[in-house]
Amino acid sequence: RKEVEQDPGPFNVPEGATVAFNCTYSNSASQSFFWYRQDCRKEPKLLMSVYSSGNEDGRFTAQLNRASQYISLLIRDSKLSDSATYLCVVNTPGNTPLVFGKGTRLSVIA
Amino acid sequence: DGGITQSPKYLFRKEGQNVTLSCEQNLNHDAMYWYRQDPGQGLRLIYYSQIVNDFQKGDIAEGYSVSREKKESFPLTVTSAQKNPTAFYLCASSSVNVGNQPQHFGDGTRLSIL
């Protein structure tokens, strides 16, 4: 089983739609979780950290389900500018770098 | 402004040539990383460093070398042994606790073979 798995998409949704991505991770001891956004031909940028209690930032909500070992990202009222690849990122125990998922591509269409 | 600076933005390599990609950060971060990204693919870790004068191999270190003589700088050399170097190279940094802090990325270097 891969350490971090994401549905690659693409998810094609109309403007104003609500869309959700899930990401599963294999190591039950993982403690830190993040969502990054990567635009085409650009560097990844931190979108939000994911906390145990779940957290919200405007139209974006991130949740963690430790029992099932997945994190989710919900985007409400999708905008054209939300079109990007969303990377799920998880730490592994010990002093090792974060593990990046391969990303889920979102296209928001007018 | 604090950040990570990668240079050059575009780089062309001839067959058999070594090239060095620069990465400088003024975020006072201890840890620095190099990733490679191929079109439509995810990030793959090449090397990382948690402290000056120390670094570790990532998943695809063959054909690459690094140094960490200063906290601010982590240059990557793509050697002639790397037979397929064409890719997007990303440098990142993070504060202490390598695996628990988010990484911040530079805007990348695109390397192509002539």
Side-chain angles (χ1 to χ4, degrees), chain A residues 7-85:
Chain A
D7 183 338
F11 285 59
N12 299 315
V13 303
E15 268 186 295
T18 295
V19 60
F21 312 132
N22 278 352
C23 162
T24 58
Y25 61 95
S26 60
N27 195 318
S28 60
S30 293
Q31 293 292 326
S32 300
F33 309 90
F34 309 95
W35 283 103
Y36 278 71
R37 170 194 170 125
Q38 186 175 24
D39 292 291
C40 189
R41 298 178 68 81
K42 298 286 189 181
E43 76 276 21
K45 293 184 178 177
L46 179 65
L47 180 64
M48 57 199 307
S49 302
V50 185
Y51 304 121
S52 297
S53 54
N55 49 302
E56 189 173 306
D57 183 2
R59 298 182 292 108
F60 298 83
T61 300
Q63 291 194 311
L64 167 64
N65 184 316
R66 286 192 186 276
S68 301
Q69 292 181 210
Y70 75 83
I71 64 172
S72 63
L73 178 67
L74 180 80
I75 305 175
R76 290 181 298 278
D77 188 23
S78 299
K79 311 290 184 192
L80 295 176
S81 58
D82 293 334
S83 298
T85 297

Side-chain angles (χ1 to χ4, degrees), chain B residues 35-52:
Chain B
Y35 293 89
R36 168 181 173 141
Q37 188 173 36
D38 292 280
Q41 302 298 313
L43 302 176
R44 291 189 288 168
L45 182 65
I46 305 172
Y47 270 99
Y48 67 102
S49 167
Q50 300 178 33
I51 197 169
V52 174

Side-chain angles (χ1 to χ4, degrees), chain B residues 79-94:
Chain B
T79 74
S80 56
Q82 173 48 247
K83 298 306 180 187
N84 184 21
T86 297
F88 187 38
Y89 289 87
L90 288 157
C91 178
S93 69
S94 68

Side-chain angles (χ1 to χ4, degrees), chain B residues 22-98:
Chain B
S22 169
C23 179
E24 305 275 334
Q25 55 99 358
N26 60 6
L27 299 167
N28 200 32
H29 284 168
D30 291 297
M32 297 185 74
Y33 316 81
W34 275 106
Y35 293 89
R36 168 181 173 141
Q37 188 173 36
D38 292 280
Q41 302 298 313
L43 302 176
R44 291 189 288 168
L45 182 65
I46 305 172
Y47 270 99
Y48 67 102
S49 167
Q50 300 178 33
I51 197 169
V52 174
N53 292 323
D54 188 44
F55 46 83
Q56 286 78 40
K57 292 182 179 180
D59 301 315
I60 55 165
E62 187 172 346
Y64 301 96
S65 66
V66 293
S67 63
R68 186 88 187 277
E69 297 176 3
K70 297 186 301 181
K71 186 176 183 178
E72 303 79 22
S73 179
F74 191 40
L76 173 75
T77 296
V78 183
T79 74
S80 56
Q82 173 48 247
K83 298 306 180 187
N84 184 21
T86 297
F88 187 38
Y89 289 87
L90 288 157
C91 178
S93 69
S94 68
S95 58
V96 296
N97 300 324
V98 171

